[in-house]
Amino acid sequence: MSISTDQETAPIAAPRNGSTSNMFRSFGSLFGAGGGSEVARPPTPQSSDGYVEFGMQDPERSGRTLGTFAGVFSPVALSMFSGLVFIRVGYIIGNAGLYVTLLQFIIAYAILLFTVASVCAISTNGAIEGGGVYFMISRTLGLEFGGSIGTLFFFANVVGSAMAISGCTEGIMDDFGPGGLFASTDGLPDGKWFRFFVSSMINTSMLLVCLVGAALFAKTSVLILGTVTVCLLATFISFLAVGATDHTILVPLANTIYNKSNDSVIAYLPYTGLNATTLRDNLGSHYGPDYTANGKFADFSTTFGVLFAGVTGIMAGANMSGELKSPSKSIPWGTLSAVGFTFVAYVILSFLMSCTTPSVTMRNSYLFLMPVNLWPPFTAIGILTATFSTGLSNLIGSSRILEALSKDQVFGPLLNFVLRGTWKGNPICAVVISWVLVECILLIGSFNLIAQINSVLFMLSYLATNLACLGIELTGAPNFRPLFKYFTWHTCLIGLLGTLIMMFVINPIYASSSIILCLILVIALHLFSPATHSAQWGSISQALMFHQVRKYLLMLDPRKDHVKFWRPQILLLVSSPRSCCPLVDFVNDLKKSGLYIIGHVKLGDFSGAEDAVDTQPWWLFLDHMRVKAFTEVTISRSIREGVHHLIRLSGIGAMKPNTIILGFYDNEAPKDFFQNGTSPYKTDGFNEGETHNFPIRHDGETKHFEVQEYVHILCDTLRMKKNLCLCRNFQRLDKNFIAISKHVKYIDVWPINVFNPTSGDPFDVVSLFMMQLAVIMLAKWKHLRVRIFLCETNESRTISTFDTHAPQMDVFSKLKLEQSLKELRIKADILEIQEWSRDTEFTQQARILKQFTAQADDALLDDGDEIAEDKFNRSLLYMQRVNQIIRDRSDQTALSFIYLAAPPKPTLPDFNDRSANYVELLTELTADLPPTILVHGVSTVTSTTL
């Protein structure tokens, strides 16, 4: 008698690293395949001068030449001065007053200080490359959040560049336009479109610098900062030296002020110099219209938006980490000192303005500093250098962020043209795209309106930075060891909440829109972006989930389980994944949001390192199948012992399998679904390289385990109180065909123990377990109906011979079943089957089978060989008759659930013979049926209580 395995249970013998002398063999249908391969550890690279490549590097050889001042302090201070220091501090004080202005500076710098702590913590936990916030967020929060925040940070730099250009244009027009201080005759023409033309020319000049000499700009940042500082000191001195004047400060042509007493146009604005009355008048708020924004009235949110937009350069130092000699020291000290320096400068400037300049002047001429300066070109030079350098810095930064997004393939091949458009390390395409977007933003025109958008986008970036640092701190990851220690989760949380609140204070519409856009990008990247980077970079989401899962697993008490909330927690034991794809896919639907583990046993031992279990190909298989499952692979000296390991040790805590599913042990040759041209699971991904470790047993090859071991595993599963399912004919399952076919209509349940039909009870534990599984599948295949076949047995026929109301008894059984199904909320059609009671020969064969499979130790000892053989043959005939009954009613069946009788006990003296007979009888029972599950439940899984 020859017995082999079905497609789902094909045994395999996998050579290890090409060796045929020492093989891993695996179990048919029960277990998955996969050969291990030894991974050699590469030697640690070391240079000739003794510096280890992965550790300490020679700064001169690695290109790290910048110190703290040139590499961090200068770019941060220059970015934080931007256009605000010369052209908008007066606007803020003139409208909000000194008290509110100082409060706004305190709020803004508090947010910046807490964010700087997070930036320093992340940036000193590892080297930061190009991309700034994008690089930190993507490598900390993962691809989805990193890509979305990086995209918004790219737009923030674009808007920041447009804001600086707008400020530069405003300074040029007020200097050289009609009535300008340096204008000859009428000066340059003025108007919305002419200002856009000037802005475009400035933007184009920045483009040329980026294309030709962007690196030179970075090296001259110290000189530019020195120029701006000298101009600022000249402004401070001028406040102290220049006295009162009424005819120096002209009203800009863009503004018109009427004298209400005589209804005349005011041409000049007052300047008092140091004056206590002026200071007293400037302490409170005097909100008025903004003449650069079509007369829109200023308020707290607009002034704070402009203020914050000018101090958003704290990332400039972290962006330079790849060129710093000592990033862990330079980034914290350089950034913090620049923040402190600019804060002191802004406070002094605010106080001197409040003491010398009336609010009406600050509200109506944003460039009043120039005419009151001892040497007016100082202010002009300061405006042009500060705004031009800030705009150029943001344009360079935005192009580098876009380049980083394209290198990381965040949007797949969509940005590949950016990489192809790189020349000598300069991302030409990225620069041009950034330039075009800046042009679009310049159409807004108003510096103050652009500043609000800029503030919201940068705040969102800072919010994400604080969130990243907070998350990684709360997870307690051992590898998070930043050299910067002056931060806690409290500072991260305060920075996060502060940025979130002030975003909505500045502009609720912009804030809501940016957050919604960020979430849309997160979802889009999660669904469509390649997932390879998350494994390379690491994602904080994994650490957070681990932290939460561990906490909830400890809270999940198995002693508090209730049958109302039972769900299948499945361990599917497979051989080569090539042969069981439909079964793996089907069980994924059957799990009903429960635990799903795919287990595999490799024959071998741990005598050598080459025998280590490699589960990476199995995870790749899960990705290919798109199933929500875990994988468990073990090495054991026998299949049975390996199954013990998997059943007892799979899962954790209360999340452990309660249902074990195996393939069937039969004669059919396995089918390779990876190679079948019509298979929906076809792939070439496991046919070469390291993933070529899912071999399959070919037809005619010898199996590596016996049928007795298979039945032993069934017995062990039931003894461990696990529900048992045997799956056959699943190589025929086609979910797509079932979904569209109008011929396939039913899921069948046969709640009768065909090995012992006299005790058939449609309400025992096994039958109810089958019905539960059928209802679960009905939720997946909503267009099908469940059919339950109520079989009248000879037991009920025996009772009916003493009862003249036998037909009424049949009706009573059906009504009882209908009532029970109603209480269980199961919708099903009930069909009556009477062959077991009406056919005398059939009934006699059923009795012989019952005697033949009796579990008593001496049941067969009194039978001779001929009698035993005769009983077995008649039992086979009986199973063939039962199979015919089921087949006759399965023409429109998608799936059948059949009652699985308990296997013979291993303690019986003739267990080996009984095992072979048991499997052969099951083989006859399920021959040529639709995909069939033989079910034996051991636990109650249904409830009628609320």
Side-chain angles (χ1 to χ4, degrees), residues 902-935:
K905 295 179 180 178
T907 56
L908 295 176
D910 55 347
F911 173 76
N912 290 342
D913 293 335
R914 286 177 178 268
S915 298
N917 294 338
Y918 174 77
V919 172
E920 191 162 353
L921 290 171
L922 292 179
T923 302
E924 291 294 337
L925 173 65
T926 57
D928 298 323
L929 292 181
T932 301
I933 303 181
L934 298 167
V935 179

Side-chain angles (χ1 to χ4, degrees), residues 746-901:
Y746 303 112
I747 298 174
D748 292 345
V749 178
W750 293 84
I752 179 173
N753 183 358
V754 295
F755 280 73
N756 187 11
T758 57
S759 60
D761 182 3
F763 307 107
D764 65 1
V765 171
V766 177
S767 299
L768 292 177
F769 183 71
M770 295 163 59
M771 296 178 191
Q772 182 76 294
L773 296 181
V775 172
I776 291 174
M777 289 312 303
L778 190 63
K780 295 291 182 180
W781 296 338
K782 299 182 183 297
H783 63 291
L784 303 184
R785 292 185 59 83
V786 174
R787 295 190 300 183
I788 300 177
F789 292 92
L790 181 60
C791 302
E792 182 185 353
T793 65
N794 54 359
E795 180 181 87
S796 61
R797 172 63 63 184
T798 302
I799 296 174
S800 66
T801 56
F802 301 97
D803 189 351
T804 57
H805 303 287
Q808 287 83 348
M809 278 198 62
D810 296 340
V811 173
F812 175 76
S813 299
K814 185 176 181 180
L815 291 175
K816 181 182 177 183
L817 178 58
E818 289 176 347
Q819 181 62 29
S820 298
L821 293 176
K822 183 178 180 181
E823 293 175 358
L824 292 171
R825 290 89 60 202
I826 296 176
K827 294 182 178 180
D829 300 329
I830 301 174
L831 283 75
E832 297 180 76
I833 305 297
Q834 299 181 345
E835 275 81 349
W836 272 271
S837 60
R838 292 187 173 181
D839 191 323
T840 305
E841 183 180 0
F842 185 58
T843 304
Q844 185 178 5
Q845 290 172 348
R847 263 196 308 271
I848 292 173
L849 173 62
K850 179 180 177 181
Q851 296 172 4
F852 180 75
T853 58
Q855 297 287 326
D857 291 347
D858 58 350
L860 297 180
L861 297 181
D862 296 335
D863 291 339
D865 293 340
E866 293 183 1
I867 297 176
E869 183 69 22
D870 180 65
K871 287 185 176 181
F872 177 68
N873 290 333
R874 298 185 69 178
S875 298
L876 285 177
L877 290 174
Y878 166 73
M879 282 299 181
Q880 292 170 2
R881 293 282 299 277
V882 176
N883 172 262
Q884 187 62 47
I885 293 173
I886 298 175
R887 274 194 294 132
D888 289 345
R889 292 161 176 80
S890 300
D891 179 56
Q892 297 178 302
T893 300
L895 178 68
S896 294
F897 291 93
I898 298 179
Y899 196 118
L900 175 64

Side-chain angles (χ1 to χ4, degrees), residues 101-323:
T101 299
L102 293 178
L103 175 63
Q104 290 183 350
F105 272 115
I106 291 172
I107 294 174
Y109 272 82
I111 292 174
L112 293 176
L113 192 62
F114 290 126
T115 305
V116 165
S118 300
V119 171
C120 293
I122 296 176
S123 60
T124 59
N125 193 54
I128 305 298
E129 299 176 7
V133 169
Y134 160 69
F135 186 88
M136 287 189 289
I137 302 303
S138 63
R139 269 53 173 184
T140 306
L141 292 183
L143 173 68
E144 295 88 351
F145 281 98
S148 58
I149 295 298
T151 303
L152 295 181
F153 189 51
F154 162 73
F155 286 116
N157 277 269
V158 168
V159 174
S161 181
M163 183 188 75
I165 293 173
S166 177
C168 187
T169 301
E170 187 174 318
I172 291 175
M173 296 307 299
D174 284 358
D175 289 343
F176 301 98
L181 191 63
F182 305 109
S184 58
T185 63
D186 292 334
L188 296 174
D190 197 1
K192 176 182 178 182
W193 290 109
F194 186 78
R195 290 198 175 209
F196 176 74
F197 170 75
V198 174
S199 297
S200 299
M201 295 301 295
I202 298 172
N203 190 25
T204 303
S205 65
M206 291 181 179
L207 172 66
L208 296 176
V209 174
C210 288
L211 297 178
V212 178
L216 180 62
F217 163 75
K219 295 178 181 178
T220 59
S221 61
V222 174
L223 180 61
I224 297 174
L225 177 62
T227 303
V228 173
T229 304
V230 169
C231 295
L232 183 60
L233 289 175
T235 301
F236 290 165
I237 295 172
S238 299
F239 279 130
L240 301 175
V242 176
T245 176
D246 293 329
H247 302 287
T248 303
I249 305 175
L250 292 172
V251 176
L253 292 181
N255 191 12
T256 303
I257 308 175
Y258 291 96
N259 189 335
K260 295 181 180 179
S261 61
N262 56 14
D263 197 25
S264 61
V265 177
I266 298 176
Y268 296 95
L269 296 169
Y271 178 78
T272 64
L274 293 174
N275 189 293
T277 303
T278 301
L279 174 62
R280 185 169 55 253
D281 292 342
N282 283 330
L283 294 178
S285 301
H286 301 86
Y287 291 111
D290 180 1
Y291 67 87
T292 66
N294 298 322
K296 180 182 178 181
F297 263 72
D299 53 23
F300 181 91
S301 62
T302 56
T303 55
F304 183 78
V306 172
L307 183 150
F308 194 85
V311 294
T312 54
I314 59 173
M315 300 294 184
N319 293 344
M320 302 292 290
S321 64
E323 301 175 17

Side-chain angles (χ1 to χ4, degrees), residues 734-744 783-784:
D734 188 339
K735 291 174 57 177
N736 296 329
F737 176 76
I738 293 175
I740 63 176
S741 174
K742 295 183 179 180
H743 179 74
V744 180
H783 63 291
L784 303 184

Side-chain angles (χ1 to χ4, degrees), residues 591-606:
K591 70 180 186 299
K592 188 63 174 179
S593 301
L595 178 68
Y596 182 18
I597 300 175
I598 298 177
H600 171 65
V601 175
K602 295 172 67 175
L603 285 177
D605 54 42
F606 287 94

Side-chain angles (χ1 to χ4, degrees), residues 397-465:
S398 62
S399 64
R400 272 35 178 194
I401 295 169
L402 186 60
E403 181 188 24
L405 291 169
S406 60
K407 283 183 178 179
D408 289 339
Q409 294 285 297
V410 171
F411 296 97
L414 184 63
L415 298 178
N416 282 350
F417 68 93
V418 174
L419 298 179
R420 290 193 292 267
T422 301
W423 182 69
K424 291 186 178 181
N426 193 7
I428 305 298
C429 282
V431 172
V432 173
I433 291 174
S434 301
W435 174 81
V436 172
L437 292 176
V438 170
E439 283 289 300
C440 296
I441 301 298
L442 287 173
L443 290 171
I444 297 176
S446 172
F447 178 98
N448 293 352
L449 293 179
I450 297 175
Q452 291 187 55
I453 303 173
N454 181 70
S455 295
V456 168
L457 290 175
F458 270 103
M459 276 192 165
L460 186 61
S461 303
Y462 296 161
L463 183 149
T465 304

